[in-house]
């Protein structure tokens, strides 16, 4: 049995078969994902064979590109490993997507963050136990441990938490190792993660 509540889609999904996103739409995401994979911030838990970490970028108001479900074991993703989320309903807990594979199990959470502030254009969700512990115990934004990953409650909590924020990071206390950075640009979101990673290194 899996010991982690991880990787399972917890929303009602409608996946419309459609061509993969354009390569130009995933270049920035893939640049950072490849780096995070090298650092172990995105990947797969070997014992449970469950992927972790996901990245997304906003296309339009309610449309965004996100890494596909269960792609964590791959060092490099192609365009067909990404999926376009075209609509979400936080009241019904539903996601409608277009592509060749299901979107990340954290799609609702990403949607809640994009709904919080139109300035937010990129979201990077990474995993790192020591970094998670550092953020959880420090002066950082957090979502409490009684709220599970990928749920409607998580999406709603993120939307409320980030209502007046355009960039930053928060830790999900109820999602082991889970950390999310968000920003108006790909570079800014990536640098938030890297700066925290370097800060952790100086402590160890």
């Amino acid at each position: 049995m899996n010991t982690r509540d991880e990787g399972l889609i917890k929303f009602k999904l409608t996946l419309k078969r459609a061509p993969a996103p354009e390569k130009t739409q995933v270049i920035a995401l893939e640049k950072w994902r490849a780096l995070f994979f090298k650092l172990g911030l995105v990947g797969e838990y070997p014992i449970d064979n469950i992927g972790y970490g996901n990245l997304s970028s906003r296309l339009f108001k309610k449309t965004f590109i996100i890494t596909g479900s269960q792609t964590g074991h791959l060092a490099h993703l192609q365009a067909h490993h990404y999926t376009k989320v075209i609509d979400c309903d936080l009241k019904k807990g539903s996601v409608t997507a277009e592509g060749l594979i299901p979107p990340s199990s954290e799609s609702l959470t990403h949607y809640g963050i994009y709904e919080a502030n139109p300035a937010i254009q990129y979201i990077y969700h990474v995993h790192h136990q020591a970094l998670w512990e550092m953020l959880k115990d420090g002066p950082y934004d957090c979502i409490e441990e009684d709220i599970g990953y990928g749920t409607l409650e998580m999406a709603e909590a993120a939307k409320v938490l980030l209502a007046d924020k355009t960039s930053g990071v928060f830790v999900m206390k109820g999602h082991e190792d889970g950390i999310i950075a968000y920003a108006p640009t790909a570079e800014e979101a990536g640098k938030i993660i890297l700066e925290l990673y370097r800060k952790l290194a100086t402590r160890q």
Side-chain angles (χ1 to χ4, degrees):
M1 295 180 60
N2 292 329
T3 58
R4 292 178 181 273
D5 181 26
E6 195 84 42
L8 299 175
I9 291 177
K10 297 182 177 180
F11 46 77
K12 181 181 178 181
L13 173 64
T14 299
L15 177 63
K16 300 179 179 181
R17 296 285 293 183
E22 298 291 332
K23 289 183 179 180
T24 55
Q25 295 176 322
V26 305
I27 288 175
L29 290 177
E30 185 55 25
K31 169 191 170 182
W32 284 99
R33 188 195 174 280
L35 175 58
F36 293 155
F37 186 91
K38 287 182 180 180
L39 297 175
L41 298 169
V42 170
E44 183 178 81
Y45 292 111
I47 296 176
D48 301 319
N49 293 320
I50 295 175
Y52 61 86
N54 40 76
L55 290 74
S56 74
S57 63
R58 191 199 298 261
L59 291 179
F60 309 108
K61 184 177 180 182
K62 293 188 175 183
T63 304
F64 57 93
I65 300 289
I66 192 166
T67 46
S69 180
Q70 298 303 317
T71 56
H73 63 289
L74 300 172
H76 299 281
L77 302 187
Q78 304 299 319
H80 65 269
H81 292 120
Y82 289 84
T83 301
K84 183 188 298 183
V85 173
I86 60 174
D87 192 30
C88 294
D89 189 324
L90 291 185
K91 293 181 179 179
K92 297 180 179 179
S94 64
V95 172
T96 302
E98 291 181 346
L100 300 175
I101 61 176
S104 165
S105 58
E106 289 282 4
S107 293
L108 263 189
T109 303
H110 286 243
Y111 179 78
I113 295 170
Y114 287 129
E115 281 284 278
N117 194 316
I120 298 172
Q121 299 292 312
Y122 287 85
I123 299 170
Y124 298 163
H125 173 198
V126 299
H127 278 213
H128 191 283
Q129 185 174 19
L131 188 57
W132 181 71
E133 293 285 354
M134 182 184 81
L135 297 180
K136 189 163 61 79
D137 297 334
Y140 297 94
D141 284 339
C142 66
I143 291 178
E144 294 304 321
E145 60 187 13
D146 61 337
I147 299 178
Y149 92 91
T151 60
L152 174 60
E153 291 76 18
M154 178 67 77
E156 291 176 333
K159 182 178 178 180
V160 172
L161 179 66
L162 308 182
D164 59 348
K165 299 172 182 179
T166 59
S167 65
V169 65
F170 68 91
V171 60
M172 296 172 282
K173 290 186 175 181
H175 182 33
E176 187 176 354
D177 305 345
I179 301 157
I180 288 183
Y182 57 94
T185 70
E187 294 296 309
E188 186 176 353
K191 288 178 179 178
I192 289 171
I193 296 293
L194 291 185
E195 287 173 5
L196 290 170
Y197 188 81
R198 294 186 185 114
K199 183 176 181 179
L200 175 67
T202 63
R203 290 188 173 191
Q204 295 178 331

